Structure formats: C-alpha cells, structure tokens
Amino acid sequence: MSEQHDQQADPVFDQEQKHLSALYAKLLQMREDIAADLESNHAGARQDLLDMSEEVRLDFGGADETIETLAAIETLNAVIDAYNQYHDFNVEKLRRVILLLMQPYFAKVRLQMRPGRPARDVYIGAAGMTDEHSIPLVVDWRSPVAETYYNQEMGETSYEVDGKKRTVNLELRRQFDIVRDQLNMYFDTTVAIEDSLLLGALKRHHSEKLQAITATIQREQNTIVRHEDVPVLLVNGIAGSGKTSVLLQRIAFLLYRERKTLNPDQVYLFTPNNVFERYIDTVLPSMGEANPQVFTWRDFVEAQGAGNRDAGEKTDPAQLGLIERAVEGLAIEADDVREIRVDDTVLLKASQVEGAVRKFERFGAGSRFCALVKDELHDRLNRRFAQMAKDEELQEEVLGFDVDEQVQWFGETVSPENEDACADLARRYVEQRYASAHDRIDDLSWLRFDRIGMRLLGQPALSATEWLYLRLCITGAGDKAARYVMVDEVQDYTVAQLMVLARHFSRAHFLLLGDEHQAIFEGTATFAQMREVFETTHGQVEECRLLTSYRSSPEITAMFTSLLEPDEQLRLTSVHRGGVAPVVREFSADDVNGYVSELRRIAEEAHGEEGLTAIVAESDPRCGWLSKQLGDRVEVLGKDSDLPREGVVLLPLRVAKGLEFDHVVIPDAQAEVYPDTPLARRRMYTAISRAMHRVTVLSQGAMTSLLA
C-alpha cells in the first residue's frame, strides 16, 4: 500500500525537508567550488606549461643529449595529460551537480545490510554524488544497490555487485515529489500497483517530448532495463507499456555500467520516423547521457550508399538466400568493375581495377579478397600520384599559385628552391586534390554491385535491401565497431530488413522492442520469424513480455484490448483510475456536412482545452482530404515536423505510431476503411492506443464491426 504525506504537521516531512535543504546547500557549494577550481586550474596550468616548455632544450647532438631531450618532452606530455584528466574529471562532476540541482533525488530506501547492524538510508537520484570524504550523498539509479528500490520487495531482497548476490533487508521504500530544494510530498510505498509517483505522473497531460521515467520504472520494466547482457533480447509489449522509455533507460543503464569501455557512438537506435526521433531526443540528455546514433531504416539505407533505390519493404527473404548461395561461387566479370575517377579525371582505368581483381580472384569473394584488392588499388593509386607529380604542366600550375591558393593547398606560403622541392609540392597537391579517390577504393565504388546482383538474380534492378545484403555477402564487412543495436517498433520491419541488420551488425548485441498487435503494414516479420533470423546469426534469443498499460485509462485500454483474443485480454491490465468513456458516433455516408461540422467542432473545442488532440487518419490520402476540410483548425504533421505541446494535429497512422496524445480522434472508422480483417484490427488497435485520456471515434458511413 501507499500512504501520502505533505507539509501538514508531519515531523517526518520536516525531517526530510531539512535533509533536502542541507544536501541542496552542499550541492550549491560544490558547484561554486568546482567552477572556481576549473578557473584557477586553467590559469595555473597555462603558466606551468609555459614555464616547463621554456625549460625544455631541444638537443639531439648526441645519444645522451637526445635521451635527456626526449625525457623532458615526455615529462611535459605527462603534465599536460594530468591537467586534461583533472579538467575532464571536474567537468563531469559539475555536469552531475547541475543535473542534481534540478531534482537532488526521487527516492530513498532504508536497508539493513547485515543482521544486527543498524539500517542506513540510501537516497536515489538521476546521478551519483559523494562528499569530500567519498561518502555517498546520492546514488545513481543505475547503481546495483538502487535495484532494491525497483524490486519493490519489502523485507528480504537482494541485488548483485560484480556478479555476487547481496541479500539485505528493505525496511522502508519512500518516494519523493521534489523540485530543486522544495519537498512537495512523500509517499511510503510497498507494492507496485500503488506506486504513487507513477499514478501522479500518469495523470499529467501530454508533453511535446518524451519524459524520462527513471523515478517510476516498474518491476517488469526494470527486468528489461537491468537484464543481463545477451546476444539478442526480444521484447513484446502491449500498447502503452513503456517500451520506448524502457529502451532509452536500457541505453542509459548500459552507458553507466560499461562507462569505461562503451561510447554512445557504439550504440545504434532505429526509430520508426523522424517525428518520433525528435520526440525522444531529450530523454538521455536529461539523464546526463549523450544520445546514440539514431537512424530510421531510410536513413540507414542512405548512409550505406543505397538511398536512390527502392527501400526494399517488399523484398522476399528468399532472394537474400539466393544471393548468399550465388556469391559462394561468384566470378567477377570485366564489366563488374568500374574506373576510379574524381570529377573528370580518371585516376585508375577499369582495366587497371580489373587487373587488381584478377590478381586475387583465386581467394573468392569475401573479406580477404576485398582487403587484398583494396590494398593493391591504394598502391596503384599512389604510384599514379607519383607519376602525375612529375608532369611539367602540373608543376607549372603549382608554381603559379597565388598566396591564397598556396595556403589552401599547403597550409602555408611556399617557395621551392629546386626541382625536387617543386616535385614534392606537386605530389602534395595531387594527393590532396584527389584524396577522395582513396575513399572510393575503401567504400568499394569500383565494384558495380547492381550489375552483379542483377546478373545473379536475373532481374532488372535491385532493391536497397538486396543491394545491402549483396554487398555484405561479397565483402564480409559490416559495422564491426557497433556494440549495441536497439530497434524500436520492430514489428514494422520485414524479415529481409532484419536479415540485413543482423548481418551488418554481426558483432553487436540487439534489443528488439515491439508489439505484435501494432503490425500495421503488410508483409512484416512475426515475432517467431524475428527469433529465427537472429538465432541464425546470433545464436541466443531471449524474450520478455510487458503486459501492463501505463498510458491509457481503463476505458481506453478495454477498448483497444477488446480487439485481441479473449485469453490475451485477461492477461493485460491498466494501472490508471477510471476515466472518460470513449465516444463512438456514426454519420450516414450522405451526411458529409454533418460529419465535417462535427470534426470542426471537436477541433475548435480542443484548442481551448489543455493537452494535445490528434486526429489520426488511417492513410495519407485520407489525411490530405481531411486537411482540406479542416484548414487552419489543425496542424498537419509531416515526416520532418516537431510535436507541439498542445493544440490539434492531423497525421496519418504510420506517423502516429509510438506517439501518445491526450485526446485521439479516429475520423474514418467506417467499415470500408477498417474491415474485419487481421490487418485492419491491428490498425484500429494502434490508433485507439495512442490516447491517454479520451477517444472519439467517428465514421462516415456504417461503423466498422470491429467496434461492435
């Protein structure tokens, strides 16, 4: 159970406010001390380095003198490194202090660490902080001991440190509503369903940005956030179960747990669209972590050089299997390679590229073959540069450079004293001017993948999915540096797309999150197919379920879960208190004026209400028609739009996926748009489940039988 406490004659409240005030004052003092230390350290470092550099005498006249000079330089470098480390340490600490000044902590647990010993209080916040004696003032929510808060097990509970289980006794689990140095109220909570901070947060209205759920992570969510590191973790969660929030908390947890070895640029996050990408872009920074590399499928395709092709949503996975088998005996033909050029200058002819290919074709297509050919082409290109630098006309061109051109190409003004110096400048100029040719060798621009693929498959063009998979099969390459790949809304990906991702990121661990009931596109992968794909490439796949809705009211949850099988409905729950019953209204197909008038009335009323109302059309054409009817009463959301805090937006269902709104209007619930088919059922489920507090369903014609 949970008990709320506020300021009224409560000695515990007074005691907690006193503790908060003292800690806040200490954080303020830390901020001032670190800022002053950084300023004085910067000035001191500057003077010390000036003094030391003046003492270093460069003397390479003999062996002893050289050793002394090198030792002096090494000492100076060590001092510089020490100053840099000290600076970085202080900057990182200042970042955590500033983060905590917004909310020093959100919870406290009282733990008896050993029988017979007095219990101690542990305050939990968005970041960890210790005092001058290294005693914890606040522990990071990702630290092992904080797991006792998320376990929500009063009495005997446990957490792991360095793989070892520690059993403790949880005597108190207290939650706080704090803003800066002001304690608004606290809750003593013992079971998850009575999580008062969570219920308070759920009453709030939509925000234009997704908010971190650090203080309100529930037990089933915490299982995923702190899950052991496995090759593939597949999460199937109902609408509103916090999948995206859990994914971001998982990234933050991994960055904390592996902070010495994991960089944010080694983590890839795949999102459904650019609107959604901007919706989540402040969550990790609010927890003091940098965002990972974020891609949509289209972004990824373009980044790999396949952007001008069909994205491949309809590619048959059997085609990829055919490619893989065909590449095993692939013979590169003369027309499969192209010349290497920069602008209008041919640097290596196609025949020269073919010569390099023939030199190593005995190894067959694969990573070794590509590496050997690339090395050979780099050597041939360097020889070509050397030859070009001897050209008298080119040397004359270099000698004719004005001052600006000299600085542009050489970084300084030059005046060659002899022919060798002139040739050297010409070589430097050629190497810089045509440096991109080396990049084209590395990115395999000399191989005509389209021609190879069309020949192997016997078809006139390749999709982006086929092109990417062919390149992976021929080169054996992919992203070897990626450590983690997170795929949100994974039910929107096809088997072929997942095969590409699994092979491209063959060394990375995957977190795949989705809802099988929100698969709103034809031909996407089932969860069983996802498991099969990743078992083939990564071996182990573990699955978790999220069965509680934290987004929608019980009335809305009941409405969208009514579209599921009866046995599954029984397993799904909402934690909200009762709300507003959905409104379902049918207009005759002939009553266009009445239908449009009602939509306009809803839109106009919504402008005067708190929160964001979304009119979610089933398709883009339908969205376009509604836009003409509603005019400036609505803001039409496109792929590059930002989500507003309030007002009325009009968007197609494909863009609404993953987002949430205070009020959702489904304007086209007629039977012809949402027939009684599995796909239409999933689309209706997805549309309804975007709503937090209210749903209005309208039909222009007979209402869909899905809502009967």
Side-chain angles (χ1 to χ4, degrees), residues 622-643:
R622 184 71 180 172
C623 194
W625 184 84
L626 288 166
S627 175
K628 293 177 182 177
Q629 310 308 312
L630 297 173
D632 58 8
R633 296 175 181 84
V634 298
E635 177 184 345
V636 181
L637 285 190
K639 65 175 185 175
D640 296 320
S641 303
D642 288 320
L643 205 60

Side-chain angles (χ1 to χ4, degrees), residues 407-662:
V407 172
Q408 175 190 346
W409 292 109
F410 309 120
E412 60 183 353
T413 58
V414 294
S415 180
E417 297 177 354
N418 52 48
E419 290 184 4
D420 289 342
C422 184
D424 181 60
L425 284 178
R427 175 68 181 263
R428 287 168 60 187
Y429 166 65
V430 168
E431 288 177 343
Q432 288 192 60
R433 180 174 176 180
Y434 301 111
S436 60
H438 283 294
D439 296 331
R440 294 179 187 184
I441 291 172
D442 285 332
D443 66 18
L444 302 170
S445 295
W446 44 275
L447 269 177
R448 300 173 64 184
F449 289 107
D450 284 287
R451 187 184 186 281
I452 296 170
M454 290 186 291
R455 187 173 80 252
L456 295 181
L457 296 176
Q459 60 191 42
L462 296 186
S463 71
T465 305
E466 291 164 339
W467 189 90
L468 289 168
Y469 201 76
L470 173 65
R471 192 179 68 168
L472 287 167
C473 290
I474 289 178
T475 64
D479 192 323
K480 306 300 185 186
R483 295 271 305 280
Y484 295 96
V485 177
M486 317 294 190
V487 184
D488 202 6
E489 303 288 344
V490 69
Q491 77 281 345
D492 292 343
Y493 289 76
T494 66
V495 171
Q497 289 172 330
L498 292 175
M499 287 172 68
V500 169
L501 292 181
R503 188 157 187 152
H504 184 82
F505 298 104
S506 59
R507 296 183 181 178
H509 284 190
F510 277 78
L511 175 60
L512 310 171
L513 294 98
D515 178 0
E516 59 188 331
H517 306 302
Q518 292 188 62
I520 67 170
F521 304 114
E522 292 277 12
T524 54
T526 66
F527 273 65
Q529 289 171 323
M530 295 174 200
R531 171 180 279 276
E532 185 177 348
V533 168
F534 283 92
E535 282 180 340
T536 301
T537 57
H538 287 67
Q540 181 184 0
V541 178
E542 294 196 15
E543 288 192 51
C544 292
R545 293 296 308 270
L546 291 171
L547 300 172
T548 304
S549 173
Y550 302 100
R551 174 190 297 141
S552 305
S553 68
E555 293 83 358
I556 295 171
T557 302
M559 189 180 198
F560 69 73
T561 56
S562 71
L563 297 164
L564 308 180
E565 294 297 325
D567 62 329
E568 184 149 23
Q569 292 179 37
L570 296 174
R571 294 191 293 161
L572 308 181
T573 59
S574 168
V575 301
H576 282 269
R577 305 290 188 249
V580 180
V583 174
V584 181
R585 187 172 178 187
E586 178 182 307
F587 290 82
S588 71
D590 298 330
D591 189 11
V592 178
N593 289 335
Y595 167 78
V596 172
S597 295
E598 177 64 7
L599 268 177
R600 289 172 177 168
R601 184 194 67 78
I602 292 171
E604 287 167 356
E605 278 191 4
H607 279 291
E609 298 171 350
E610 189 176 358
L612 182 64
T613 294
I615 301 175
V616 180
E618 190 267 349
S619 65
D620 288 81
R622 184 71 180 172
C623 194
W625 184 84
L626 288 166
S627 175
K628 293 177 182 177
Q629 310 308 312
L630 297 173
D632 58 8
R633 296 175 181 84
V634 298
E635 177 184 345
V636 181
L637 285 190
K639 65 175 185 175
D640 296 320
S641 303
D642 288 320
L643 205 60
R645 177 181 290 272
E646 55 189 17
V648 186
V649 294
L650 170 64
L651 69 169
L653 180 58
R654 64 175 182 82
V655 177
K657 285 180 60 62
L659 304 177
E660 62 184 25
F661 308 94
D662 294 287

